[in-house]
Structures are given as C-alpha cells and as structure tokens.
Amino acid sequence: MHIIVIGGGVVGMTTAYELNRRGHQVTVLERHGIAGNETSKGNAAQRSYGVVYPWADPAMVLKALPWIFKRDGPLKLRVPPSVETFRFVIASLRYARSPGLFGLNKRAMLRLGIHSRKRFLALEQELDLNFDGDHKGLLHLASTPEALEGYRQTHQLLNELGIASRLLTPEQVREAEPGMTGNGPLFGALSYDTDGTGDCHLFSRDLAQACESRGVSLRYNTETEDLLSDDNRVTGVVARNKDGKAETLEADAVVICAGCWSGQLTRQLGLKLPIYPVKGYSFTVPLADPEKAPVSTVHDDNYKVVSTRLGDRLRASGFVELADFNRDIPKARLATIRKSVESRFPGCADLMAAETWTGFRPMTPDGPPIIGRGPRENLFLNTGHGTFGWTLSAGSADVVAQLIDGEETSVCLDAFRPGRFAE
Ligand SMILES: Cc1cc2nc3c(=O)[nH]c(=O)nc-3n(C[C@H](O)[C@H](O)[C@H](O)COP(=O)(O)OP(=O)(O)OC[C@H]3O[C@@H](n4cnc5c(N)ncnc54)[C@H](O)[C@@H]3O)c2cc1C
C-alpha cells in the first residue's frame, strides 16, 4: 500500500518507520524543513514507560488550584483564559470526576508503555541511531513524607503490572545519583529501574534519515491543507510546498500524526479532536562537571522539574501552562527551573548559558493519546500523546501499523479510540 503520514515529529517518524518495515510505500508530509522540530524538539528527554498517567487525574484537581497562584508553582494559566482554554479545563474536570476512568486509562497507558519499551529496544538493535539514548532508570524524588507515601501505592501497581521499581532511602538515592549534593529536601525516591532517556529531536532526525535510506519519501516544507474524501474513503491529500505550489497526492491510507494541529485536518471530515497545546519549557546546556550532573533522569517533585543527562549535556524541563499557542519564554519560568537544578545538582553546568525552548504538549482532556481508525475507513490517527509522546511513540507506531494491516493489536486500543470525545 502507499500510505501518507502527515507530520514528521517523533510519532510520525516512528509510524513511517514501522509501516516501511512492513513493506509499505510511505510518504511523510512535514511542514518544517527537518523532522522533530516542534514538540519533539526540546522535551524533558524521558522515556518514562513506567510513569505514564492520564492528564485528568482526580487527585490533582484540588492540589493543582493553589499551584496557579504560587510563584514557583508548576501550573500556570494565562488570564483571562481563552474560550479554548476554558473548554479544555471544563472537559478535563469532567473526565477527572468520571468514576474509575483514571485507573482504567492509567493501566491502558502503562500497557502501551510496556509495549513501547519493547519496540524501542528492537528498533535500537535494528538501526544505529545517535541520540544520546540510554535505559539507566528514572528517579522520582520525594521531598515530603507524604510524597513518599504516595509512591508506595504506585510501587504496588507497578509490581502488579510487572514493571520493575524500587522505593529508595535518601542514602540509596545519593548512591544512585552521586552528583546530587544539593540541599533540596529529600525523604526518598521511587526508582523506575527500566525506564530511559534520549534526545527526541536527534532521534527523530536520525530516524528520518534511516527511513529515507530505506525508501521512505520525506517531503519537508510541505503543509497538508486538506483531506479530500467521499463518504467512505479519503481519496486524496492536498499539500502545498514552500513555493506555494499545491498538489493532490493519492494514497491507499493516510495516518494523521500532526500533534497539536491534528484537529484542523479531521474537523473537515466531521471529527472534532479536542487536543489542547499544554505549554512547557526546557533548557539544554553543556556540562561543566559531569561528576556533578545526573547519571540518568531525576524528577524533582519539589518544583516538578526534570533534570536529564544527555551525553555531555544537561536538559532541564518543567511547567504546565495553559496559554494557547503563545511562544514567549518568561525569565521567571527559567529561573524556577534553574532553582530546581541548583538545589539538586549544584555546579554541574553554567545554567545561565543554556539554550532555551518552549513547546506544546498535544494534550487530550482525558489524557490517553488518540490511536485508531478515523471517520473514513482508510484514515488512521496516531496523535494527542500529551506529556508522554516520546515515551509512547515506538509502541503507538507499532499498534497503528498493526491496525492498518488488519492484525490484532498488541495492546487493547479501547482507551485510545478517536470517537470517545463525542460519547
Ligand atoms: C516541556 C515538555 C516536556 C516534555 N517531556 C517529555 C518527556 O520527558 N517524555 C515524553 O515522553 N514526552 C515529553 N513531552 C511530550 C512529547 O514531547 C510530545 O508528546 C511529542 O513530542 C509529540 O510528538 P508528535 O510527533 O505527536 O508531535 P510533534 O512533535 O509536534 O510533531 C507533529 C508534526 O506535525 C507537523 N504538522 C502539523 N500540522 C501539519 C500539516 N498540516 N502539514 C504538515 N505537517 C504538519 C508539525 O510541523 C510537527 O513537526 C514533553 C513535552 C513538553 C512540551
């Protein structure tokens, strides 16, 4: 089959790779000049298979409100909120209040996470990609006794699903992360032993090259404007290149992997995708002293900031901000991220010299991604991965390829069905 993949972020590139591996002829349409240049560019770099959870968390509803007003609080809301923000918040609250939904969705996402880890390991064996990737585990620090107590429950669920994790004492945390000499509060940690890291942008770019060398057609600087269809099938894709020239491409199937912008393409076919751009920030800086830096990746629950080692660089990232598609990077946000790093890994890098970034998590109001068949029989969706698109990309790509080939999927896709927002 000839299959068009719309979007060359990490989800689009892994999808293209899986389809090519299965013998399909694949064309990727990407409006940027390179792959992985939007949300996949500067994320926190965690492949956190054991951590994945839905956005609509009932336990967060009351906790989150005071965060908005706290100076270094991890949640920010632009005032006055837009109609889109307001709608997203209301829908999220509705899902958070839906009895039992969080637990079901969390398990579904964890199963997809387990599958994604398997697919990443296989892919890394199949291809020689350079993206500062590793699987050395992930630490969630507990800066209060209550946080540690919460981790005990998570630890039980992970055990039940066969995901390796350990509760660590502060001494064990410092043994695992000897560079962690800062004075931030520490009561222990939950260690996700088999989780990983990696630069999602480098991975996407390298994978795009590998795909190209295997015959995938990568059409950069090409914006998809329209999907042509009859009642049953997508019959063509209207794409415009940077010189303004439009052409209609034919395909046997189309997969939408356009992150935050996916809804613009499905709306014309009668499917509303309530994907909201949840903003976050990161900075990346060369290490001044590798001994003082994280060995792997550490989530500081005190500031909700993640510090990740990427080879000889540090990536630090944080904040959940509801501000639509605003790309400003306020100094105050970077100052909070710096505070976290300094309180855990002092002296590891010259943080003022860091390269800064902002991006938008393609978030669904309930939290699981959208994976499945769209409103036409040859249209498929692999999008809306929110906070965990890097982590879930390899698994999502595999299951969407299975679906296209009419196979039973390795993971049940009920929680990810595209039509759920209209139910
Ligand atoms: C601050 C921050 C930290 C994060 N940390 C992590 C983390 O540690 N671990 C993790 O797993 N995830 C993390 N994420 C989330 C993760 O980065 C995203 O879920 C993931 O990158 C989404 O990938 P994607 O391919 O779906 O979207 P994108 O990377 O946005 O790719 C979509 C692509 O589609 C293209 N496109 C859109 N519309 C069109 C069109 N009409 N025509 C042609 N091309 C189009 C865009 O140009 C873009 O390249 C983080 C996100 C943020 C913002």
Side-chain angles (χ1 to χ4, degrees), residues 41 45 131-132 197-203 310 313 315 390:
K41 187 163 185 190
F131 61 103
D132 289 328
T197 48
D199 186 323
C200 181
H201 176 60
L202 295 184
F203 175 89
L310 289 172
R313 298 171 297 151
R315 166 83 46 85
W390 173 212

Side-chain angles (χ1 to χ4, degrees), residues 284-288 312-314 348-350 353-354:
T284 310
V285 59
L287 293 176
D312 55 7
R313 298 171 297 151
L314 173 84
C348 70
D350 175 5

Side-chain angles (χ1 to χ4, degrees), residues 5-14 28-32 34-49 52 196 198 200 204 219 221-226 238-239 256-262 264-265 278-282 297 306 308 316-320 357-363 382-393:
V5 174
I6 302 174
V10 71
V11 173
M13 288 322 310
T14 46
V28 178
L29 305 178
E30 167 54 51
R31 63 181 181 193
H32 285 288
I34 49 170
N37 210 33
E38 274 290 352
T39 312
S40 303
K41 187 163 185 190
N43 65 29
Q46 296 190 318
R47 288 186 284 172
S48 48
Y49 321 104
V52 292
C200 181
S204 307
R219 310 248 327 233
N221 300 306
T222 302
E223 173 124 24
T224 304
E225 284 192 342
D226 209 355
V238 181
I256 298 182
C257 304
C260 289
W261 300 269
S262 302
Q264 294 165 9
L265 297 166
V278 174
K279 190 178 181 187
Y281 304 87
S282 76
T297 180
V306 170
T308 301
S317 172
F319 286 102
V320 160
W357 175 83
T358 185
F360 308 110
R361 302 171 182 90
M363 195 71 79
N382 189 12
T383 185
H385 290 74
T387 308
F388 300 107
W390 173 212
T391 303
L392 296 176
S393 58

